[in-house]
Every structure is written in C-alpha cells, then in structure tokens.
Amino acid sequence: MNLEGKKVILFDGVCNLCNSAINFIIKHDKNDVFRYASLQSEIGKKYIDQFNIDSTSLDSILLINSETQYFHKSSAALHIAKHLSGGYSILVVFLVLPKFIRDLVYDFIAKNRYKWFGKKESCMLPSPKLRKLFLDQL
C-alpha cells in the first residue's frame, strides 16, 4: 500500500462524534490528503506501537504526518483543518494558543463524547466508494 504524500488520521471507530468528524473531513478533503483507520484496527495499533503511544490513556484523534511525526488532541485537529476546503484552514491560527489550554477544551469534549453523542457497538464500515480511503478496509 503506497501512502507516499498521504497523512493518516487514526480515530475512535466506535465514537459517533469521531465518525461524524471523519465524514466531515472526507467531504472537505478536496486535495485527497488523508487516509483513515480506527484506533482499534490492526493498522491503528501498528502506528500506536511505532510511536510508542500509551494506548491506555488514548482518547484522542491522531494525525500521522510522516514516519517520524504525529500530532494528537487539539494539535491533530488543527493540523487537519489546515488542509480542508471551505475556509476551515483559518482555524490553524489557534495553534498560537498554548497547547495546554487548547487541550483542556479538547479533553473536556473527549471525556464527554460518548455521553453527548453516543457510541456504536462496532467500528464504522465505509461505503464501497469510500473504502479506498480507509487503510483497515483495503
């Protein structure tokens, strides 16, 4: 599988908010920048191991930017927004805020996401048209 030039987004595959966010990103990824995999998938676990991320405290979206760099929490969300169409790239200005402040807001939403938005019994299955974008569906 050739991922050259692509950025990988790892997300909570059973979270309704996360699945909605992925659908939003796909809709606004006009330059075909991203590929996707759930944190629960084998590919997701491979990346978690590769970057030595503590999976027991992982409740975040991850953006794998390259073989040696990743972003999580608010930094991942803002770096993703940078590549979206529709004016969302302006959100990158929030990177000037200290990470601990951005992550406080992110953590509050992440902590309550199942209560507010619900949870699926299993990971989302993409439509046949979108399947090529999901690394764990190839």
Side-chain angles (χ1 to χ4, degrees), residues 117-134:
F117 300 98
K119 184 177 178 179
K120 298 179 182 301
E121 292 300 314
S122 62
C123 293
M124 167 181 78
L125 292 175
S127 69
K129 180 181 175 186
L130 298 178
R131 196 162 286 150
K132 68 180 172 73
L133 300 175
F134 288 81

mmCIF file of all heavy atoms in Angstrom, residues 117-134:
data_model
loop_
_atom_site.group_PDB
_atom_site.id
_atom_site.type_symbol
_atom_site.label_atom_id
_atom_site.label_comp_id
_atom_site.label_asym_id
_atom_site.label_seq_id
_atom_site.Cartn_x
_atom_site.Cartn_y
_atom_site.Cartn_z
ATOM 1 N N PHE A 117 -22.792 12.239 22.466
ATOM 2 C CA PHE A 117 -23.008 11.850 21.074
ATOM 3 C C PHE A 117 -23.273 10.358 20.886
ATOM 4 O O PHE A 117 -23.641 9.934 19.798
ATOM 5 C CB PHE A 117 -21.800 12.260 20.213
ATOM 6 C CG PHE A 117 -21.542 13.738 20.234
ATOM 7 C CD1 PHE A 117 -20.572 14.269 21.072
ATOM 8 C CD2 PHE A 117 -22.273 14.588 19.428
ATOM 9 C CE1 PHE A 117 -20.336 15.638 21.100
ATOM 10 C CE2 PHE A 117 -22.042 15.959 19.451
ATOM 11 C CZ PHE A 117 -21.072 16.486 20.293
ATOM 12 N N GLY A 118 -23.039 9.554 21.913
ATOM 13 C CA GLY A 118 -23.298 8.125 21.820
ATOM 14 C C GLY A 118 -22.098 7.337 21.329
ATOM 15 O O GLY A 118 -21.060 7.889 20.984
ATOM 16 N N LYS A 119 -22.305 6.042 21.315
ATOM 17 C CA LYS A 119 -21.239 5.102 20.979
ATOM 18 C C LYS A 119 -21.828 3.967 20.156
ATOM 19 O O LYS A 119 -22.935 3.513 20.415
ATOM 20 C CB LYS A 119 -20.649 4.577 22.296
ATOM 21 C CG LYS A 119 -19.484 3.670 22.167
ATOM 22 C CD LYS A 119 -18.970 3.297 23.558
ATOM 23 C CE LYS A 119 -17.817 2.340 23.472
ATOM 24 N NZ LYS A 119 -17.293 1.988 24.785
ATOM 25 N N LYS A 120 -21.089 3.499 19.173
ATOM 26 C CA LYS A 120 -21.507 2.362 18.355
ATOM 27 C C LYS A 120 -21.006 1.067 18.980
ATOM 28 O O LYS A 120 -20.061 1.076 19.752
ATOM 29 C CB LYS A 120 -20.934 2.487 16.940
ATOM 30 C CG LYS A 120 -21.391 3.703 16.184
ATOM 31 C CD LYS A 120 -20.738 3.721 14.813
ATOM 32 C CE LYS A 120 -21.113 4.938 14.027
ATOM 33 N NZ LYS A 120 -22.506 5.130 13.786
ATOM 34 N N GLU A 121 -21.611 -0.022 18.600
ATOM 35 C CA GLU A 121 -21.171 -1.334 19.080
ATOM 36 C C GLU A 121 -19.914 -1.801 18.352
ATOM 37 O O GLU A 121 -19.137 -2.586 18.864
ATOM 38 C CB GLU A 121 -22.284 -2.370 18.901
ATOM 39 C CG GLU A 121 -23.481 -2.141 19.803
ATOM 40 C CD GLU A 121 -23.107 -2.192 21.279
ATOM 41 O OE1 GLU A 121 -22.372 -3.113 21.681
ATOM 42 O OE2 GLU A 121 -23.550 -1.308 22.029
ATOM 43 N N SER A 122 -19.734 -1.309 17.128
ATOM 44 C CA SER A 122 -18.557 -1.686 16.346
ATOM 45 C C SER A 122 -18.138 -0.510 15.480
ATOM 46 O O SER A 122 -18.856 0.477 15.362
ATOM 47 C CB SER A 122 -18.864 -2.904 15.463
ATOM 48 O OG SER A 122 -19.888 -2.597 14.544
ATOM 49 N N CYS A 123 -16.976 -0.632 14.873
ATOM 50 C CA CYS A 123 -16.436 0.446 14.044
ATOM 51 C C CYS A 123 -17.281 0.651 12.794
ATOM 52 O O CYS A 123 -17.901 -0.276 12.286
ATOM 53 C CB CYS A 123 -14.996 0.136 13.638
ATOM 54 S SG CYS A 123 -13.864 0.153 15.030
ATOM 55 N N MET A 124 -17.263 1.879 12.290
ATOM 56 C CA MET A 124 -17.982 2.257 11.084
ATOM 57 C C MET A 124 -17.460 1.464 9.888
ATOM 58 O O MET A 124 -16.261 1.253 9.756
ATOM 59 C CB MET A 124 -17.760 3.749 10.864
ATOM 60 C CG MET A 124 -18.162 4.255 9.502
ATOM 61 S SD MET A 124 -17.846 6.013 9.275
ATOM 62 C CE MET A 124 -16.101 6.040 8.959
ATOM 63 N N LEU A 125 -18.376 1.051 9.036
ATOM 64 C CA LEU A 125 -17.996 0.422 7.770
ATOM 65 C C LEU A 125 -18.236 1.425 6.656
ATOM 66 O O LEU A 125 -19.360 1.850 6.432
ATOM 67 C CB LEU A 125 -18.828 -0.838 7.522
ATOM 68 C CG LEU A 125 -18.570 -2.001 8.471
ATOM 69 C CD1 LEU A 125 -19.542 -3.139 8.190
ATOM 70 C CD2 LEU A 125 -17.144 -2.475 8.346
ATOM 71 N N PRO A 126 -17.192 1.836 5.973
ATOM 72 C CA PRO A 126 -17.360 2.825 4.907
ATOM 73 C C PRO A 126 -18.077 2.240 3.697
ATOM 74 O O PRO A 126 -18.046 1.034 3.465
ATOM 75 C CB PRO A 126 -15.925 3.213 4.556
ATOM 76 C CG PRO A 126 -15.088 2.088 5.022
ATOM 77 C CD PRO A 126 -15.809 1.440 6.164
ATOM 78 N N SER A 127 -18.707 3.120 2.947
ATOM 79 C CA SER A 127 -19.374 2.697 1.719
ATOM 80 C C SER A 127 -18.323 2.176 0.741
ATOM 81 O O SER A 127 -17.141 2.504 0.862
ATOM 82 C CB SER A 127 -20.121 3.874 1.113
ATOM 83 O OG SER A 127 -19.193 4.830 0.631
ATOM 84 N N PRO A 128 -18.739 1.385 -0.231
ATOM 85 C CA PRO A 128 -17.765 0.895 -1.223
ATOM 86 C C PRO A 128 -16.989 2.028 -1.892
ATOM 87 O O PRO A 128 -15.803 1.887 -2.166
ATOM 88 C CB PRO A 128 -18.636 0.148 -2.236
ATOM 89 C CG PRO A 128 -19.822 -0.308 -1.433
ATOM 90 C CD PRO A 128 -20.070 0.803 -0.430
ATOM 91 N N LYS A 129 -17.627 3.173 -2.129
ATOM 92 C CA LYS A 129 -16.972 4.311 -2.768
ATOM 93 C C LYS A 129 -15.849 4.863 -1.892
ATOM 94 O O LYS A 129 -14.811 5.286 -2.391
ATOM 95 C CB LYS A 129 -18.007 5.396 -3.042
ATOM 96 C CG LYS A 129 -17.455 6.635 -3.692
ATOM 97 C CD LYS A 129 -18.547 7.664 -3.910
ATOM 98 C CE LYS A 129 -17.967 8.941 -4.442
ATOM 99 N NZ LYS A 129 -18.972 9.999 -4.532
ATOM 100 N N LEU A 130 -16.036 4.856 -0.564
ATOM 101 C CA LEU A 130 -15.057 5.427 0.362
ATOM 102 C C LEU A 130 -14.045 4.410 0.885
ATOM 103 O O LEU A 130 -13.069 4.786 1.517
ATOM 104 C CB LEU A 130 -15.772 6.083 1.545
ATOM 105 C CG LEU A 130 -16.682 7.251 1.216
ATOM 106 C CD1 LEU A 130 -17.348 7.773 2.465
ATOM 107 C CD2 LEU A 130 -15.910 8.356 0.502
ATOM 108 N N ARG A 131 -14.271 3.159 0.635
ATOM 109 C CA ARG A 131 -13.431 2.098 1.204
ATOM 110 C C ARG A 131 -11.948 2.285 0.899
ATOM 111 O O ARG A 131 -11.093 2.005 1.719
ATOM 112 C CB ARG A 131 -13.915 0.747 0.692
ATOM 113 C CG ARG A 131 -13.375 -0.404 1.508
ATOM 114 C CD ARG A 131 -14.143 -1.666 1.309
ATOM 115 N NE ARG A 131 -15.405 -1.507 2.007
ATOM 116 C CZ ARG A 131 -16.535 -2.079 1.650
ATOM 117 N NH1 ARG A 131 -16.584 -2.856 0.616
ATOM 118 N NH2 ARG A 131 -17.634 -1.889 2.327
ATOM 119 N N LYS A 132 -11.620 2.805 -0.267
ATOM 120 C CA LYS A 132 -10.214 3.001 -0.642
ATOM 121 C C LYS A 132 -9.486 4.007 0.241
ATOM 122 O O LYS A 132 -8.266 4.035 0.286
ATOM 123 C CB LYS A 132 -10.101 3.406 -2.118
ATOM 124 C CG LYS A 132 -10.656 4.786 -2.391
ATOM 125 C CD LYS A 132 -10.515 5.153 -3.859
ATOM 126 C CE LYS A 132 -11.170 6.363 -4.228
ATOM 127 N NZ LYS A 132 -11.194 7.558 -4.190
ATOM 128 N N LEU A 133 -10.238 4.841 0.965
ATOM 129 C CA LEU A 133 -9.637 5.830 1.842
ATOM 130 C C LEU A 133 -9.277 5.262 3.221
ATOM 131 O O LEU A 133 -8.529 5.872 3.970
ATOM 132 C CB LEU A 133 -10.588 7.018 2.036
ATOM 133 C CG LEU A 133 -10.994 7.775 0.775
ATOM 134 C CD1 LEU A 133 -12.027 8.846 1.124
ATOM 135 C CD2 LEU A 133 -9.787 8.370 0.085
ATOM 136 N N PHE A 134 -9.854 4.106 3.549
ATOM 137 C CA PHE A 134 -9.663 3.514 4.869
ATOM 138 C C PHE A 134 -8.649 2.387 4.803
ATOM 139 O O PHE A 134 -8.857 1.380 4.127
ATOM 140 C CB PHE A 134 -11.002 3.006 5.411
ATOM 141 C CG PHE A 134 -11.916 4.113 5.827
ATOM 142 C CD1 PHE A 134 -12.668 4.802 4.899
ATOM 143 C CD2 PHE A 134 -12.002 4.477 7.162
ATOM 144 C CE1 PHE A 134 -13.488 5.847 5.287
ATOM 145 C CE2 PHE A 134 -12.824 5.506 7.560
ATOM 146 C CZ PHE A 134 -13.572 6.207 6.616
#
